[in-house]
Amino acid sequence: MTDTIRYIIAGALILLIIVLQPVYMKWLGYDTSQPDLEQTSQAQTINPATEETKKYIPAIPSQEDFSLPNDALETFITISTPLYTTTLSNRSGGSIEDYTLTGENSGKLKYLGGYDKNGFFQSDLPVSIVLPSVDHCNPCLGHYDDVDDQYHFINQPFMLASNYIENDTIYLNPGESFELRYSLKGPNGSVLIDKFVSFSADEYISQHRFEINDDELIYSNNLELIWYGGLRPTEEKDNEDVEYGSGIIGQAGEIEDIQTKDPDEEISRSVYNGQTEWVAVRTKYFMSALIVENPGKYAVLSAGNVAFGGRKQTPVYHAGIGYPLDIKYISSKLYLGPLDVDHLIKTGTNLDATMNWGFTLIRPISKGILWVLKFMHNALRLNYGLVLLLFALIIRLITGPLTKKSYESSQNMQKLQPQIKKLQAKYKKDPQRLNRETMGLYKKHKVNPLGGCLPIMLQMPLLWALFIVFRTTIEFRGASFVFWISDLSQPDVIFNLPFSIPIYGSGVAVLPLLMGATLMLTMRMSSATMDKSQKPVMYFMNGFFILLFNTFPSGLNLYYTAYNVLSYFQQRSIKRKLAVP
């Protein structure tokens, strides 16, 4: 394959991407459109805890949920650990009302940047991942009424059966755990449900155990353990949580999910029959997962959207596990925390399959890359920016032989171009003869026409896996490097334009410009013997990459910049060696 053909193909592909740019950018998970100021202004007046918000959610729970006599008033208890601080209501026997991540990293909060209860983003606010709700049903028991098309939840106040009084704060040190017992009593004072909730200071997993003591509660076809109310968004850009958010179920080692990406789209309650080990709700970087000890006979998922602060769209997913009438004991674990492989493994499930690892061929490569990055960060105690620079060097060493072979093949092809042109002129009326003579020329000079393309193709799975990991891993969220690079998961924008440029967006980032400059250096070196007619395509490609990468995470651009610098020096070294007679 000649350089001319390669550049023509590349130019055609780039043109196709530009034509399909709106769809392409949406698929990548980036939105450069400007918010509708009128819509935003109106949305900001909506209180997330009002009925105005709730009307967007399908299957609103009945206000007569299990109207059993109970003297308990609503009370709250706060559990504070080194990893998180959570507030529990006695509704539903310990429903999580608030859950704020407080783990420290290098002397500062590890997860910063989130939304307050009114739906406004603050960059210095610790991440809170439970969406404000008046229902306090996270998690709870309930049943679905097919006739009324709505849920009925056991979400009334339980009695706290412990020595702790309401509004207490319980502090847990590393290695400690704590259990609360709540009881729901019937009209005659008998205990209908005992609910045991326990927390550990060392992990994001809490235990939620239900003991059902009275058949009086079971007046529906099935009882369901439900996480109802989704998760609070955590990313400043609306589209990031929308694109990655979903409701997911795990049955017999397989997973299925639902997504809503349209503000007006609602997904009605869907039932998935089969032995269910877990159900989950996720945003881009965080997850709530109910994992049961005794598998349910089916799973349920539904979704809608709520108005939350100034956001244009906030998806809300509901997930549950169904049990038969005669169930007396439900033991479950609740994972509520970051999408971090190290923590997900502690659940003893395949929850890591909910992360975006790419398709089957790419998946093991993506996992391997993430493992190496985390190992270098933890073992060497390096800033993630330095980890990316070191990783670029490692990848450069691994791919160096392939790049060398590609560059040498390209140079050899360039040397044969004058002879190939003579053959083309001589046999222009005899294509078959031209093909034989050309192949004979290649064989004589021991040149493989695919030598320049094959090494690049072999690197594609690695490059694609790198792209996936750098864009989706929580390790880079909020990780700063140097100077203006304050978050490796976001573009390193230094100022914003008063208008938006297609593909480029409105923010001006530095690293894409540096990456473009390094790419230009390597292109100029490799095109020294290139036909002049091919060079405009090369410059066009370089400019397009600067536009495209402007909205990509700074961690990805930092890696590619370092990789291009190392490529430049390698190519310069190879070129000097080839020039020596």
Side-chain angles (χ1 to χ4, degrees):
M1 183 182 294
T2 64
D3 283 342
T4 302
I5 295 176
R6 286 203 300 271
Y7 283 114
I8 290 175
I9 293 175
L13 290 175
I14 292 173
L15 182 61
L16 181 63
I17 292 175
I18 293 176
V19 172
L20 299 177
Q21 185 263 337
V23 177
Y24 179 70
M25 293 302 290
K26 187 176 181 181
W27 173 75
L28 286 175
Y30 290 89
D31 180 12
T32 58
S33 61
Q34 297 295 319
D36 187 331
L37 296 180
E38 182 178 354
Q39 180 183 11
T40 300
S41 177
Q42 293 174 354
Q44 289 174 346
T45 65
I46 298 177
N47 187 329
T50 64
E51 293 297 325
E52 188 69 21
T53 295
K54 291 172 59 182
K55 72 181 182 180
Y56 291 93
I57 307 176
I60 296 300
S62 167
Q63 297 305 312
E64 301 176 354
D65 292 344
F66 288 90
S67 299
L68 300 172
N70 192 16
D71 296 331
L73 299 176
E74 184 171 12
T75 61
F76 302 92
I77 285 183
T78 298
I79 309 292
S80 180
T81 78
L83 293 177
Y84 58 85
T85 297
T86 182
T87 298
L88 279 75
S89 165
N90 64 334
R91 284 188 173 273
S92 306
S95 178
I96 296 175
E97 180 184 324
D98 184 73
Y99 195 90
T100 301
L101 302 181
T102 55
E104 291 192 357
N105 181 22
S106 302
K108 69 173 185 178
L109 290 177
K110 186 173 183 179
Y111 303 113
L112 281 176
Y115 289 84
D116 60 24
K117 290 187 176 182
N118 294 316
F120 298 104
F121 185 86
Q122 299 180 39
S123 59
D124 58 348
L125 190 71
V127 167
S128 184
I129 56 180
V130 172
L131 195 64
S133 170
V134 296
D135 298 314
H136 304 312
C137 198
N138 301 315
C140 68
L141 294 177
H143 79 93
Y144 184 74
D145 192 324
D146 292 319
V147 177
D148 296 339
D149 188 28
Q150 64 180 355
Y151 270 107
H152 296 273
F153 296 144
I154 306 177
N155 69 342
Q156 65 205 86
F158 283 43
M159 293 293 293
L160 177 59
S162 75
N163 295 326
Y164 291 89
I165 61 174
E166 63 265 22
N167 303 319
D168 260 6
T169 297
I170 300 165
Y171 297 92
L172 299 181
N173 296 315
E176 295 181 344
S177 61
F178 181 79
E179 182 176 86
L180 292 167
R181 177 184 175 184
Y182 293 93
S183 297
L184 178 65
K185 294 184 178 181
N188 60 0
S190 62
V191 175
L192 303 179
I193 298 178
D194 276 323
K195 167 77 179 297
F196 299 86
V197 187
S198 63
F199 294 87
S200 168
D202 302 321
E203 56 188 15
Y204 294 103
I205 301 172
S206 56
Q207 306 286 334
H208 296 256
R209 189 172 78 253
F210 298 83
E211 293 182 1
I212 302 168
N213 305 314
D214 199 314
D215 292 336
E216 183 180 348
L217 283 172
I218 311 301
Y219 62 86
S220 177
N221 292 330
N222 295 284
L223 195 64
E224 294 179 8
L225 174 62
I226 309 167
W227 179 273
Y228 195 91
L231 292 177
R232 191 182 305 198
T234 58
E235 306 311 304
E236 185 172 11
K237 295 181 180 178
D238 292 14
N239 64 296
E240 292 193 19
D241 281 320
V242 172
E243 290 294 328
Y244 291 96
S246 62
I248 316 164
I249 65 170
Q251 294 181 329
E254 300 293 329
I255 67 172
E256 290 193 45
D257 66 343
I258 61 170
Q259 273 194 313
T260 172
K261 296 185 178 182
D262 188 327
D264 299 322
E265 179 185 14
E266 291 184 355
I267 301 177
S268 59
R269 178 177 179 270
S270 300
V271 178
Y272 302 81
N273 291 313
Q275 181 170 292
T276 304
E277 290 88 19
W278 55 264
V279 294
V281 173
R282 64 161 291 182
T283 55
K284 182 175 183 180
Y285 292 119
F286 302 94
M287 168 179 281
S288 166
L290 278 170
I291 307 154
V292 290
E293 180 180 302
N294 42 338
K297 68 176 186 178
Y298 66 87
V300 292
L301 292 174
S302 61
N305 281 282
V306 298
F308 188 59
R311 291 173 58 89
K312 293 185 293 183
Q313 181 181 0
T314 302
V316 174
Y317 296 93
H318 318 295
I321 302 175
Y323 289 93
L325 280 171
D326 59 353
I327 189 72
K328 295 295 184 182
Y329 180 85
I330 299 176
S331 180
S332 66
K333 294 186 294 186
L334 173 65
Y335 178 84
L336 193 56
L339 276 167
D340 186 318
V341 176
D342 292 343
H343 292 293
L344 294 179
I345 288 176
K346 295 179 181 179
T347 65
T349 68
N350 63 333
L351 276 176
D352 65 318
T354 63
M355 299 176 65
N356 180 20
W357 298 109
F359 54 89
T360 303
L361 176 64
I362 299 298
R363 195 170 298 129
I365 303 176
S366 300
K367 291 183 178 182
I369 289 172
L370 182 58
W371 184 89
V372 171
L373 294 176
K374 290 170 70 74
F375 175 80
M376 288 193 295
H377 173 71
N378 297 327
L380 303 179
R381 299 187 180 277
L382 293 177
N383 173 286
Y384 264 115
L386 295 176
V387 167
L388 292 177
L389 296 179
L390 179 58
F391 188 71
L393 176 60
I394 293 173
I395 296 301
R396 182 69 265 173
L397 293 175
I398 294 173
T399 60
L402 294 176
T403 303
K404 179 181 179 181
K405 185 175 180 61
S406 175
Y407 185 78
E408 290 176 344
S409 178
S410 177
Q411 292 297 306
N412 291 331
M413 286 289 294
Q414 289 293 337
K415 293 178 180 179
L416 293 179
Q417 284 302 307
Q419 298 182 57
I420 291 175
K421 288 182 179 180
K422 290 180 180 180
L423 291 176
Q424 290 172 342
K426 184 176 181 179
Y427 301 108
K428 61 181 179 180
K429 295 182 180 181
D430 190 350
Q432 294 183 350
R433 179 70 183 277
L434 174 60
N435 185 60
R436 290 197 303 271
E437 293 294 333
T438 302
M439 295 305 297
L441 183 64
Y442 290 152
K443 186 176 181 180
K444 177 181 178 182
H445 292 274
K446 299 180 180 180
V447 172
N448 183 358
L450 297 178
C453 299
L454 188 59
I456 296 176
M457 295 301 295
L458 292 175
Q459 294 181 58
M460 288 305 295
L462 174 63
L463 296 177
W464 187 255
L466 288 168
F467 181 79
I468 291 172
V469 170
F470 289 165
R471 287 187 61 241
T472 61
T473 181
I474 194 173
E475 279 70 24
F476 296 135
R477 187 187 189 277
S480 61
F481 182 36
V482 293
F483 307 124
W484 72 97
I485 307 174
S486 59
D487 187 343
L488 291 171
S489 71
Q490 297 295 327
D492 60 312
V493 174
I494 55 173
F495 66 88
N496 288 287
L497 301 171
F499 52 86
S500 180
I501 301 173
I503 302 179
Y504 186 78
S506 59
V508 178
V510 176
L511 284 175
L513 298 175
L514 295 178
M515 188 207 68
T518 58
L519 188 61
M520 178 64 70
L521 289 174
T522 57
M523 283 184 171
R524 287 186 62 182
M525 183 172 295
S526 61
S527 64
T529 57
M530 181 187 299
D531 189 281
K532 292 183 179 180
S533 62
Q534 299 171 357
K535 291 187 178 182
V537 177
M538 179 193 71
Y539 293 122
F540 176 79
M541 288 175 60
N542 191 72
F544 175 76
F545 285 136
I546 293 176
L547 290 175
L548 183 62
F549 277 66
N550 188 68
T551 55
F552 285 4
S554 55
L556 184 64
N557 287 324
L558 177 64
Y559 165 81
Y560 278 128
T561 300
Y563 186 86
N564 289 338
V565 169
L566 295 171
S567 295
Y568 169 76
F569 285 108
Q570 183 191 27
Q571 288 191 19
R572 189 175 71 170
S573 176
I574 296 172
K575 186 175 181 179
R576 287 177 176 176
K577 290 180 179 178
L578 291 176
V580 177

